[in-house]
Amino acid sequence: MIDKLRQNYRASLWAVRILFVVTFVFAQWRESVTALMLFMNNNSIWLALAMCALSGIIALVLYPFVINVLLNLFRIYSVPRAEYVLLALFYASFGQLITGALNCILFITPVVVTWGAILFNFIGTTVAAVMFYAKTSKLYFNDITRVYYFKNLAIVYFVVMILGVIL
Amino acid sequence: MMLIALIFIPMFSAPVAVAENAGTSVNFDDYESSEVYKFVQYFSETYPSRIAGSDTERQAALYIKQCFEQILEGTDSSVELQSAEQSSNVVATLNSAASNEYRIIIGAHYDSVLGSEGAQDNASGVAALLEIARQLASYNLQLPVDVVFIAFGGEEAGLIGSYGYVGSMTSTDVQRTLMMINLDSIAGGDYLYLHCETVANDMERFFVDNFATYSEISVKPYTNGVVVFPGMLGDYYEKLQASDQTPFRAMGIPTALFISGNYKTFSWDYVESADESYCVMNSNRDTFDNLNRRKEEFVKKILTVSDTIVSVIKADGFRDMAINARSGLVNLDVVYSQRWPVIARIAITLILAFVAWRYYRSLRKKSYMSNVSAGGTGNKVFTSPQADDVFDL
């Protein structure tokens, strides 16, 4: 699948962008509905979904920017940036899909509401990050350079996780 | 302001006709002359924007204190103002002549958000609180337990009053508190709901058996934001709502919450009303005029809550039920406290960090070996992207 994605960049880019926004809404819609009710006293689920989709589009714009900043910061110049961003978006979409699927458990039993709110996103992000590393380290790095790539990716991952706990 | 209050208090404290078991007998055709109606109107319009720490909030607290003093005059009781951070609570205790071994707490917050009259949220709850005090004042000789009435400050700013009060409780206070009943926004929503402990006690049944019937009350477990399928995991699906009962529940005290709203519009979540013009909570649209569009319905809801609680306290077996509820309370801390999942997340992160460290060491070794076999110096591994580390320059 990844290989097919890489063969037709333009079509893949739009497909992945749409997938990213759709999965973003799938993973975050409940928070959006709640936020709309709490802060705007509005009950419209369509407005909530629209707000969620808008947030997804904003994230879609920010992702490539952040990735480029990180690659420059860690002086990793050997990867094809556009394709790397495409893969990042694809695996982020995969993580969101996992988070959204786990959130469905909340409809079966609310017992896990508190645990789910804290752990589901963490699980989705972790699985996506591991798979993203596994793929990109094979595609763009060799046995000599992989250690440097892993170190920096691990730093980014753990900083994000720590911020997730603190915030 | 104080003069108006002094003139108003005697009006407010005028006795109401009392029905045979619990409660108030009110002619709902003339609901505007009821005490709760007059209180909600006066309180919300005289003390708008009762935000935590403001002068208005303090004046509102003093007014409620005067109301309690007036109502409980001549009884074995005490009324005091307790500070809680920048806010303050009004605490009125009605002592039982029979036994002071146990007590229950009935609470309602009196603050509001900025720019709001807070008629629905929560002058309505305070009106019910005072109504209950009025009815129980003439009953205190037969009270099975002490009853503590608390008007909490700073709820909207993060449960400041209730957390402050719980923080000031001694272990003896905690042990002898059998139950906490919270009244929050009980008049403006479409329907009345009772959220109640449902596990390992008959507290819910006890309330249901004593429901007053001016307005219908539905029982809901402590859920918010989710669909409930009864039967899953043994009906074990309570979730605390974020109001003043939360700190008490966290201390292991059984709680009940009366709130008005609508769980029918969104089956997965709470809204105040299907009619958006009644969705006013925490906004400047929460005014007495808006609440008064409900006419006698809002008075009925307040009196339904107050009469239900009075009936429950007066009912035979209340004390035993409350003791049982207290002793049989299931510890929900592991399920509903955010502490444990956060700890679990930190623990998993640490395990991942350890695994990552082991993996990083193996990668370093592999990098070192590959560097040597590629003809490198072999004296260091690849730790930064210098070209001569990768290419033989």
Side-chain angles (χ1 to χ4, degrees):
Chain A
M1 188 176 179
I2 299 295
D3 293 335
K4 283 183 182 172
L5 273 180
R6 298 177 71 203
Q7 283 166 13
N8 189 344
Y9 174 73
R10 278 184 183 281
S12 300
L13 182 62
W14 281 106
V16 167
R17 281 174 176 169
I18 292 168
L19 180 71
F20 180 86
V21 174
V22 170
T23 55
F24 187 91
V25 172
F26 180 54
Q28 306 286 339
W29 70 272
R30 283 185 67 259
E31 283 79 0
S32 187
V33 168
T34 308
L36 198 66
M37 284 179 188
L38 281 177
F39 299 115
M40 296 174 69
N41 268 316
N42 193 307
N43 304 334
S44 168
I45 187 151
W46 297 111
L47 182 60
L49 290 178
M51 275 181 56
C52 198
L54 182 65
S55 305
I57 292 168
I58 292 170
L60 187 68
V61 173
L62 288 177
Y63 258 61
F65 174 74
V66 172
I67 290 169
N68 276 305
V69 167
L70 289 173
L71 288 175
N72 287 334
L73 183 69
F74 297 130
R75 296 184 295 160
I76 297 175
Y77 307 115
S78 60
V79 297
R81 301 262 171 129
E83 189 177 273
Y84 187 83
V85 167
L86 179 75
L87 288 176
L89 288 175
F90 177 78
Y91 281 102
S93 305
F94 184 70
Q96 287 164 179
L97 196 65
I98 293 172
T99 305
L102 288 172
N103 281 340
C104 290
I105 296 173
L106 302 180
F107 287 93
I108 299 170
T109 171
V111 168
V112 292
V113 163
T114 311
W115 283 76
I118 291 169
L119 289 182
F120 288 168
N121 190 42
F122 170 69
I123 292 169
T125 307
T126 302
V127 171
V130 169
M131 293 182 70
F132 176 69
Y133 165 75
K135 190 67 190 178
T136 51
S137 69
K138 276 185 186 168
L139 283 176
Y140 307 124
F141 300 92
N142 58 29
D143 283 347
I144 299 175
T145 57
R146 191 169 294 131
V147 61
Y148 179 75
Y149 178 60
F150 174 78
K151 184 180 77 176
N152 290 309
L153 205 61
I155 288 170
V156 172
Y157 171 81
F158 284 111
V159 166
V160 170
M161 288 301 113
I162 289 166
L163 287 178
V165 171
I166 294 171
L167 301 177
Chain B
M1 190 77 72
M2 195 60 70
L3 185 63
I4 296 170
L6 289 172
I7 293 170
F8 186 77
I9 289 168
M11 287 169 56
F12 179 71
S13 60
V16 289
V18 176
E20 46 185 301
N21 179 24
T24 318
S25 171
V26 170
N27 176 7
F28 288 112
D29 292 334
D30 188 24
Y31 65 94
E32 291 179 354
S33 64
S34 67
E35 302 302 326
V36 293
Y37 180 95
K38 287 189 283 189
F39 175 82
V40 173
Q41 180 179 28
Y42 176 81
F43 188 72
S44 53
E45 291 182 346
T46 309
Y47 306 105
S49 282
R50 303 180 295 275
I51 55 173
S54 66
D55 279 348
T56 317
E57 193 203 36
R58 200 168 55 81
Q59 288 167 9
L62 289 171
Y63 173 65
I64 294 169
K65 181 171 178 279
Q66 287 176 323
C67 289
F68 271 121
E69 287 169 345
Q70 188 82 25
I71 289 167
L72 300 177
E73 192 176 358
T75 62
D76 179 11
S77 61
S78 63
V79 182
E80 58 182 326
L81 210 58
Q82 289 185 355
S83 62
E85 292 189 24
Q86 75 267 36
S87 187
S88 53
N89 301 323
V90 183
V91 182
T93 304
L94 183 59
N95 295 313
S96 163
S99 168
N100 302 117
E101 188 179 0
Y102 294 109
R103 66 177 192 169
I104 65 164
I105 294 173
I106 307 171
H109 76 86
Y110 66 89
D111 66 309
S112 72
V113 296
L114 183 64
S116 168
E117 287 184 8
Q120 140 83 336
D121 183 13
N122 188 30
S124 61
V126 180
L129 191 69
L130 294 170
E131 180 64 28
I132 296 164
R134 184 183 300 106
Q135 292 186 35
L136 291 182
S138 58
Y139 189 75
N140 72 320
L141 290 177
Q142 302 161 67
L143 281 174
V145 292
D146 293 346
V147 180
V148 181
F149 303 93
I150 308 179
F152 293 108
E155 191 264 1
E156 306 290 4
L159 312 182
I160 291 174
S162 47
Y163 272 113
Y165 183 82
V166 167
S168 70
M169 287 169 77
T170 63
S171 58
T172 310
D173 290 337
V174 174
Q175 289 304 316
R176 62 185 286 263
T177 304
L178 296 179
M179 185 182 295
M180 193 276 174
I181 303 169
N182 188 27
L183 320 173
D184 196 352
S185 308
I186 59 173
D190 286 347
Y191 309 103
L192 259 179
Y193 292 99
L194 166 66
H195 292 266
C196 188
E197 309 290 345
T198 59
V199 178
N201 69 76
D202 54 358
M203 189 170 158
E204 177 190 296
R205 182 192 59 73
F206 210 88
F207 273 91
V208 171
D209 288 347
N210 289 282
F211 274 167
T213 54
Y214 310 126
S215 292
E216 185 186 344
I217 309 179
S218 302
V219 179
K220 294 282 287 182
Y222 278 126
T223 58
N224 187 17
V226 284
V227 177
V228 173
F229 295 119
M232 297 301 295
L233 295 178
D235 291 333
Y236 195 79
Y237 44 61
E238 297 169 357
K239 184 178 188 299
L240 290 174
Q241 306 243 0
S243 187
D244 285 317
Q245 82 280 5
T246 305
F248 293 89
R249 184 60 183 81
M251 292 295 282
I253 296 167
T255 63
L257 166 68
F258 283 92
I259 189 170
S260 67
N262 189 329
Y263 283 96
K264 298 175 182 175
T265 301
F266 290 125
S267 57
W268 62 84
D269 215 335
Y270 165 89
V271 290
E272 272 179 283
S273 171
D275 179 348
E276 198 161 319
S277 67
Y278 284 117
C279 295
V280 298
M281 206 180 281
N282 298 336
S283 77
N284 58 9
R285 292 180 294 135
D286 183 2
T287 61
F288 176 76
D289 288 342
N290 195 60
L291 182 64
N292 198 27
R293 289 165 55 217
R294 298 273 193 191
K295 298 188 175 174
E296 75 271 19
E297 287 306 315
F298 93 80
V299 176
K300 283 182 178 177
K301 286 192 176 76
I302 294 172
L303 293 179
T304 298
V305 171
S306 60
D307 286 8
T308 295
I309 293 171
V310 170
S311 293
V312 164
I313 294 171
K314 287 181 176 178
D316 290 339
F318 169 74
R319 190 170 182 266
D320 292 339
M321 179 278 294
I323 291 170
N324 177 51
R326 176 63 204 260
S327 61
L329 190 67
V330 177
N331 187 355
L332 296 178
D333 189 48
V334 172
V335 179
Y336 294 119
S337 166
Q338 290 199 347
R339 185 189 322 130
W340 302 108
V342 166
I343 288 172
R345 181 171 166 161
I346 292 169
I348 296 169
T349 306
L350 288 174
I351 292 168
L352 286 175
F354 177 72
V355 172
W357 169 246
R358 300 277 299 182
Y359 179 69
Y360 177 69
R361 282 170 61 96
S362 74
L363 281 181
R364 275 174 62 97
K365 190 174 177 183
K366 198 179 281 185
S367 176
Y368 174 81
M369 299 303 290
S370 299
N371 200 8
V372 171
S373 62
T377 58
N379 59 356
K380 65 174 183 175
V381 297
F382 184 85
T383 54
S384 65
Q386 299 301 320
D388 56 354
D389 282 330
V390 186
F391 305 106
D392 187 18
L393 298 176

